[in-house]
């Protein structure tokens, strides 16, 4: 749920990076953090297990600039990818304005991607949201690995609706900001559209 | 399906006044009011050294996790949490369905005093919270009605 503070003149939106374990969600946020000006970002928080697996969430607030005098901030969250953390994933999706699904391009992770995408749809539904109606982009990560599946095949399996999608190699930054910009723009367009519909 | 919460100048002022009164009367170090999504609505007291955005996000995550735990055990929720540290302690409580009040205190105050003063402030906080989240749609003049498609395009024209 977006939050507009007229007192501090801020628009705040929530974007969640979702995907199977070790697909690179945290790496996306780490890259964004490393390349964002200090004045435009807050502290990155990672609630991890002792083995660098996300336990509850990663959180990174960033500011992309001003629109009509309102500072526009995006709160970026990742969910824990491992299957048994589904309760945590559901919590993080509450109040989400836009979702990035980070798919692992490796052939051996196809089933994990499918399972994760299904859990995304189910968890959103439990919050009364519909994946087809909220801002949503797909990122095919790990495109540099030798076992990466052809893009056309991934698109056929994961993107029958033809939503915006990006190829990425998160550690080098390839596709990372393109993904963020695409989902952030969809969020603002959707907020504007929703506002128009709500007008008396 | 997106919904927006808007905090207007006059409501922000009222919340800040209530938080300030609570902070001063309870001798707390700082008082924060946030929503369950982790958006900070008000912060008063000694907040200069505190990363308030992180505090709000972690508190909301904590409340969400505790709420999940409560439901698992058949409770509706656990409305109050206290974390006691060697020097500083945190009192976290729910205000109605949507807001979270965080009171940071040290040895200038006590848990008993915090509880007593919060009990006095709670009805008014709840009332303002109710008014913020139940505004008639025609009163919510969102900034988005003034933003054009070109504004959004321009916003994303950076490299």
């Amino acid at each position: 749920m977006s939050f507009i503070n007229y007192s501090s003149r801020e628009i705040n939106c929530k974007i969640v990076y979702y995907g199977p374990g070790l697909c690179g969600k945290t790496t996306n946020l780490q890259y964004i953090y490393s390349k964002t000006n200090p004045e435009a970002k807050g502290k990155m928080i990672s609630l991890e297990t002792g083995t660098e697996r996300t336990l509850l969430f990663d959180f990174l607030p960033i500011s992309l600039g001003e629109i009509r005098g309102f500072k526009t901030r995006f709160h970026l969250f990742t969910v824990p990818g491992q299957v048994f953390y589904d309760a945590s994933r559901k919590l993080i999706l509450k109040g989400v304005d836009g979702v990035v699904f980070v798919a692992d391009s490796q052939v051996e992770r196809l089933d994990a991607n499918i399972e994760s995408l299904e859990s995304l749809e189910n968890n959103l539904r439990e919050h009364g949201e519909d994946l087809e109606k909220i801002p949503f982009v797909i990122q095919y990560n790990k495109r540099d690995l030798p076992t990466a599946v052809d893009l056309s095949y991934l698109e056929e399996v994961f993107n029958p609706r033809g939503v915006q999608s990006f190829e990425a190699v998160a550690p080098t930054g390839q596709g990372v900001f393109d993904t963020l910009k695409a989902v952030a723009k969809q969020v603002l367009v959707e907020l504007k559209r929703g506002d128009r519909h709500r007008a008396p | 399906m997106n919904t927006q919460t808007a905090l207007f100048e006059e409501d922000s002022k009222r919340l800040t006044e209530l938080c300030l009164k609570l902070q001063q009367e309870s001798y707390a170090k700082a008082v924060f009011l946030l929503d369950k999504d982790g958006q900070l609505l008000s912060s008063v007291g000694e907040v200069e050294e505190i990363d308030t955005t992180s505090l709000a996000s972690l508190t909301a995550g904590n409340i969400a996790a505790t709420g999940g735990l409560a439901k698992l055990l058949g409770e509706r929720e656990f409305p109050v949490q206290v974390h006691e540290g060697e020097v500083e302690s945190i009192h976290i409580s729910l205000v109605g369905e949507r807001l979270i009040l965080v009171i940071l205190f040290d040895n200038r105050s006590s848990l008993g005093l915090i509880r007593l003063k919060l009990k006095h402030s709670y009805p008014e906080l709840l009332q303002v919270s109710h008014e913020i989240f139940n505004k008639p749609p025609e009163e919510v003049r969102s900034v988005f009605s003034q933003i054009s498609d070109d504004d959004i395009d321009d916003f994303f024209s950076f490299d």
Side-chain angles (χ1 to χ4, degrees), chain B residues 18-85:
Chain B
L18 287 172
C19 288
L20 193 60
K21 185 166 174 260
L22 175 61
Q23 184 249 331
Q24 289 171 346
E25 289 183 351
S26 65
Y27 296 96
K29 187 174 175 185
V31 172
F32 307 88
L33 197 62
L34 49 132
D35 74 3
K36 280 189 174 176
D37 293 331
Q39 307 287 357
L40 191 67
L41 278 74
S42 188
S43 62
V44 300
E46 299 167 31
V47 297
E48 299 78 18
E49 302 292 312
I50 297 170
D51 178 352
T52 53
T53 307
S54 296
L55 180 136
S57 168
L58 284 171
T59 305
N62 186 3
I63 284 287
T66 309
L69 193 59
K71 284 187 179 66
L72 202 66
L73 299 175
E75 285 290 326
R76 205 166 72 84
E77 54 197 354
F78 294 127
V80 177
Q81 294 180 44
V82 181
H83 302 290
E84 292 188 82

Side-chain angles (χ1 to χ4, degrees), chain A residues 16-179:
Chain A
V16 172
Y17 284 69
Y18 203 99
L22 296 175
C23 69
K25 302 174 289 295
T26 301
T27 312
N28 264 268
L29 260 62
Q30 284 169 339
Y31 186 82
I32 293 165
Y33 182 80
S34 72
K35 295 294 176 188
T36 306
N37 291 332
E39 64 273 17
K41 69 186 175 192
K43 196 172 166 185
M44 180 165 168
I45 293 172
S46 287
L47 301 179
E48 295 176 333
T49 64
T51 53
E52 294 192 358
R53 307 294 294 267
T54 304
L55 178 63
L56 192 54
F57 58 74
D58 303 309
F59 169 69
L60 174 62
I62 60 162
S63 175
L64 291 185
E66 286 192 2
I67 295 186
R68 297 263 167 152
F70 278 75
K71 194 174 180 185
T72 306
R73 303 172 80 198
F74 290 88
H75 289 188
L76 311 182
F77 286 84
T78 69
V79 297
Q82 288 165 287
V83 174
F84 51 87
Y85 285 135
D86 199 49
S88 307
R89 273 193 292 280
K90 195 159 71 185
L91 296 176
I92 307 305
L93 282 174
K94 187 171 175 294
V96 68
D97 292 300
V99 176
V100 174
F101 182 74
V102 182
D104 189 326
S105 295
Q106 299 176 93
V107 65
E108 60 270 30
R109 298 298 286 163
L110 281 179
D111 282 352
N113 290 329
I114 290 168
E115 192 178 351
S116 180
L117 191 55
E118 281 178 348
S119 94
L120 169 61
E121 287 172 344
N122 292 337
N123 285 333
L124 280 172
R125 205 172 296 126
E126 290 195 31
H127 287 303
E129 299 280 4
D130 182 346
L131 187 58
E132 295 196 6
K133 291 182 181 160
I134 66 169
F136 176 55
V137 303
I138 298 175
Q139 181 189 81
Y140 300 111
N141 194 22
K142 307 195 183 185
R143 296 305 298 158
D144 58 329
L145 295 186
T147 55
V149 179
D150 278 352
L151 183 65
S152 58
Y153 181 78
L154 292 173
E155 281 281 87
E156 198 180 315
V157 173
F158 296 106
N159 196 11
R161 285 197 291 130
V163 301
Q164 279 181 289
S165 63
F166 299 89
E167 293 186 85
V169 181
T172 67
Q174 184 195 326
V176 169
F177 273 98
D178 290 338
T179 306

Side-chain angles (χ1 to χ4, degrees), chain B residues 5 7 10-13 15 25 33 38 43 45 51 56 58 67-68 72 76 78 87 92 114 136-139 151 156:
Chain B
T5 301
L7 180 66
E10 57 271 33
D11 292 325
S12 172
K13 204 173 154 206
L15 285 177
E25 289 183 351
L33 197 62
S43 62
D51 178 352
L58 284 171
L72 202 66
R76 205 166 72 84
F78 294 127
V87 180
I92 302 172
I114 297 291
E138 60 272 18
E139 281 187 26
D151 286 334
F156 288 100

